[in-house]
Amino acid sequence: MGMWIAIAIVLFVLGSMMALKPSGIDQRLDKLRMTARRLQLNPKLVTCPDWVKGRDNEYGRGMIGQYGLVLDNVKLPLTRYQVLDGQWRPASNASSSDNNSSDNNSLNNSLPVQANFSLDKEPLALPASIEPFVKALLVKSNSIVIYWEDIAYVRPATNPAYQQQTIESDLLIMKENLEKWALQMQKSA
């Protein structure tokens, strides 16, 4: 009888410890964000800005990954782009409202967003595993920020071709493109 009680206690303790372990998707997402941090892409999970299509393709709904690249000695105009048919298109200000729910909106609503067409119809040219999840681009001062559903990148249901070995190369391509787009914006400013 004492042996059965000891087995039950051990199983209870092991079950409790297994419940504390993060899920596989959480582990993949952590690996993605840690790699991005190491590559100086500054990942954050933020409230979806009101000018970006978030969850269920509705503007400003849910949470979204924000990966930003800070560029030294660069001055860029405050500009927003959205993805349309695999290309960057200037974001209209029509969807901006009084809703200052995200920190990006409260920072940017006081400054006029300039119409800048230097990236208009520029293809995303990102890896096929990242491109479907990219939503928007924000260019401001000395940084360029890409909004994308990073959790969809690591989910087996939305990205069945996920390979942990390709995370770094995919993020390096993203970083190179962010630098290229920033230089293109700087030349046209």
Side-chain angles (χ1 to χ4, degrees), residues 19-78:
L20 295 175
K21 184 179 177 189
S23 71
I25 292 174
D26 289 339
Q27 290 176 4
R28 289 174 169 192
L29 189 58
D30 182 56
K31 170 82 172 151
L32 174 70
R33 290 181 179 159
M34 292 304 285
T35 303
R37 189 167 285 120
R38 189 170 41 80
L39 295 174
Q40 299 175 340
L41 283 173
N42 306 319
K44 292 180 188 175
L45 182 65
V46 297
T47 304
C48 188
D50 62 355
W51 58 276
V52 176
K53 287 185 179 180
R55 188 172 8 138
D56 300 331
N57 240 1
E58 291 182 28
Y59 286 99
R61 185 155 183 226
M63 302 293 282
I64 194 163
Q66 169 187 301
Y67 288 51
L69 183 62
V70 177
L71 304 162
D72 296 327
N73 304 321
V74 175
K75 183 68 176 161
L76 300 168
L78 179 60

Side-chain angles (χ1 to χ4, degrees), residues 13-165:
V13 170
L14 285 176
S16 298
M17 289 188 337
M18 292 303 284
L20 295 175
K21 184 179 177 189
S23 71
I25 292 174
D26 289 339
Q27 290 176 4
R28 289 174 169 192
L29 189 58
D30 182 56
K31 170 82 172 151
L32 174 70
R33 290 181 179 159
M34 292 304 285
T35 303
R37 189 167 285 120
R38 189 170 41 80
L39 295 174
Q40 299 175 340
L41 283 173
N42 306 319
K44 292 180 188 175
L45 182 65
V46 297
T47 304
C48 188
D50 62 355
W51 58 276
V52 176
K53 287 185 179 180
R55 188 172 8 138
D56 300 331
N57 240 1
E58 291 182 28
Y59 286 99
R61 185 155 183 226
M63 302 293 282
I64 194 163
Q66 169 187 301
Y67 288 51
L69 183 62
V70 177
L71 304 162
D72 296 327
N73 304 321
V74 175
K75 183 68 176 161
L76 300 168
L78 179 60
T79 310
R80 302 187 260 194
Y81 289 92
Q82 290 183 341
V83 177
L84 186 63
D85 297 328
Q87 298 176 335
W88 290 121
R89 298 305 313 259
S92 68
N93 295 338
S95 64
S96 292
S97 64
D98 315 5
N99 181 6
N100 289 340
S101 61
S102 85
D103 58 341
N104 291 320
N105 293 335
S106 61
L107 289 173
N108 296 338
N109 279 345
S110 61
L111 299 171
V113 177
Q114 300 173 6
N116 186 307
F117 297 96
S118 59
L119 295 181
D120 191 23
K121 296 188 179 177
E122 179 81 21
L124 291 183
L126 292 170
S129 55
I130 290 179
E131 198 167 298
F133 310 118
V134 173
K135 300 291 185 177
L137 186 72
L138 173 65
V139 182
K140 59 183 180 178
S141 187
N142 67 337
S143 65
I144 185 165
V145 176
I146 193 165
Y147 292 97
W148 69 300
E149 295 175 353
D150 57 352
I151 194 159
Y153 174 81
V154 298
R155 271 195 191 122
T158 53
N159 186 8
Y162 169 81
Q163 298 282 327
Q164 187 170 340
Q165 308 86 281

